[in-house]
Amino acid sequence: MELLIALVPMVAWGSIGLVSGKIGGDANQQTLGMTIGAFLFSLVAFFIVSPTITPWIALIGFLSGLAWSVGQNGQFHGMKFMGVSVGLPLSTGFQLILNTIAGAVFFHEWTQTKDYVYGILALILLVSGAYLTARQDDEGKVDTENTMLDFGKGFRALIYSTLGYGVYTIIVNWANLDAMSIILPQSIGMILGASFFAFRKVKVDQYVWKNMASGLLWGIGNVCMLLTVKSLGLAVGFSLSQMGIIISTLGGIFILGEKKTKKELIFVIVGCLLVIFGGILLGYMKTA
C-alpha cells in the first residue's frame, strides 16, 4: 500500500506541466492559479479531516509553502525557456540529487552498506534518465521554436527552483509533522509567495482561473508525497514521486507537440527506461 501511495505523486505531478502547458498563461499566472487551486484543496481537506494545527505546525507549513512558491515559479520559468520535455526532466534531476543526499546524509536514512549501494545506483539511474530525456541533438535539430528558447535563462531559473523545492521538502521532514495538519498553513505560504511573484506582473484572467486545475493535481500529489516521505524516508519517498518525468516528457512531445529528432526520441525512450529501473530499485530497497 505504501508503494501504491508513493506512485500517486508520480501521476499527479507528472501531469501538471502538461495541464499548465495546455491551458497557457505566463509562468507567474500559472504559479498563482496553481496555488489558488492548492489552497482550495487544502481547505476542503482541512474541514473533512479536522487536523490539529499548533503554532509550530503553522510556522513550518507556512515556510515550506513560501519555499515551494520559489521552486514552482522557477520551474515554470525553466519550462517556458526550455520546453516541458527538457525543463522538467532537468529540474527533476537537480531535485533528486539534493533530496537524496539530504535524506541519506542529514537524516541518516541509509544505515547499511546495501542501502548505499542500492541508493546510489538508483540515483545514478534516475539522474541519467533525467539527463537523457532532456538531451538535445544539436546536429539534427531543425525547428527549435517551441522546444528551446533560451537554455541559459532556463538553467538559472532551475537552480533557484531546486533550492526552493529542497527547502519545501527538507524542512517538513526535519520537523517530522503530520501530513494532513501541515497542508493548510503550507498552502497559505504558497499563495502568499505566488502573490509576491505576481504583484503588478500578472493579469488575473482566465489563465489564472483555469490553472487552478493544476493546483488540485498538486494538492493530491503533495498529500501522498508527505505520507510517503514519513513512511519510506525522504531519499526514497521523494525520488519515487519524481518518476512523473516519464509522463511529462512523453506528454510534452505527443500532447504539447514539442519537436524531437529521431536521435532525441531514442534518448527519451532510454531515459524513461532508466527512470523506471531506478524507481523499481528504490521500491526494492524498502522490501529487501
Side-chain angles (χ1 to χ4, degrees):
M1 179 60 74
E2 290 177 342
L3 289 178
L4 288 177
I5 293 175
L7 293 178
V8 173
M10 176 191 79
V11 178
W13 288 355
S15 304
I16 288 175
L18 304 179
V19 173
S20 295
K22 203 69 176 176
I23 291 172
D26 62 31
N28 292 321
Q29 286 176 312
Q30 290 173 325
T31 305
L32 182 60
M34 186 174 175
T35 55
I36 294 173
F39 173 73
L40 293 177
F41 172 86
S42 65
L43 200 60
V44 172
F46 174 79
F47 284 113
I48 293 175
V49 181
S50 298
T52 300
I53 300 180
T54 64
W56 176 247
I57 292 175
L59 175 62
I60 295 298
F62 180 77
L63 293 176
S64 172
L66 281 179
W68 176 91
S69 69
V70 174
Q72 187 61 55
N73 187 266
Q75 189 180 79
F76 276 138
H77 275 94
M79 290 189 293
K80 285 292 183 182
F81 289 122
M82 296 176 167
V84 174
S85 63
V86 174
L88 201 53
L90 282 180
S91 176
T92 298
F94 293 157
Q95 292 177 63
L96 284 169
I97 293 172
L98 180 59
N99 281 277
T100 301
I101 291 174
V105 176
F106 298 119
F107 299 118
H108 308 291
E109 293 171 0
W110 295 353
T111 57
Q112 303 178 46
T113 301
K114 70 177 183 65
D115 293 333
Y116 283 92
V117 173
Y118 291 148
I120 292 173
L121 179 58
L123 183 60
I124 291 173
L125 290 172
L126 289 167
V127 174
S128 298
Y131 165 74
L132 285 176
T133 56
R135 184 172 174 180
Q136 298 287 289
D137 177 14
D138 295 328
E139 294 180 0
K141 183 64 70 179
V142 176
D143 178 14
T144 60
E145 181 180 354
N146 55 12
T147 56
M148 183 68 69
L149 301 178
D150 193 321
F151 184 87
K153 288 183 178 179
F155 188 83
R156 289 191 293 273
L158 292 185
I159 292 297
Y160 76 75
S161 170
T162 302
L163 295 176
Y165 274 142
V167 175
Y168 144 68
T169 51
I170 292 170
I171 192 174
V172 173
N173 193 56
W174 168 75
N176 192 30
L177 301 177
D178 176 63
M180 297 307 298
S181 66
I182 202 172
I183 59 173
L184 182 58
Q186 190 178 59
S187 67
I188 294 173
M190 289 166 56
I191 202 168
L192 287 178
S195 298
F196 172 79
F197 285 112
F199 185 65
R200 294 183 178 178
K201 298 178 183 177
V202 168
K203 179 182 178 183
V204 180
D205 55 16
Q206 60 171 331
Y207 293 116
V208 172
W209 307 124
K210 288 181 178 180
N211 271 291
M212 289 169 57
S214 61
L216 297 177
L217 285 172
W218 183 87
I220 294 170
N222 183 51
V223 170
C224 292
M225 191 276 291
L226 292 174
L227 291 172
T228 302
V229 166
K230 196 171 182 64
S231 60
L232 300 181
L234 179 64
V236 174
F238 183 82
S239 296
L240 286 174
S241 74
Q242 298 304 298
M243 289 177 63
I245 63 169
I246 299 171
I247 297 173
S248 58
T249 301
L250 296 179
I253 297 169
F254 297 110
I255 297 177
L256 300 182
E258 296 176 354
K259 304 298 182 182
K260 294 288 182 182
T261 66
K262 290 182 179 180
K263 184 181 291 187
E264 287 173 344
L265 283 175
I266 295 174
F267 291 153
V268 166
I269 293 172
V270 174
C272 287
L273 288 174
L274 291 178
V275 170
I276 292 172
F277 291 146
I280 291 174
L281 186 55
L282 286 172
Y284 176 75
M285 281 179 61
K286 305 308 293 186
T287 59

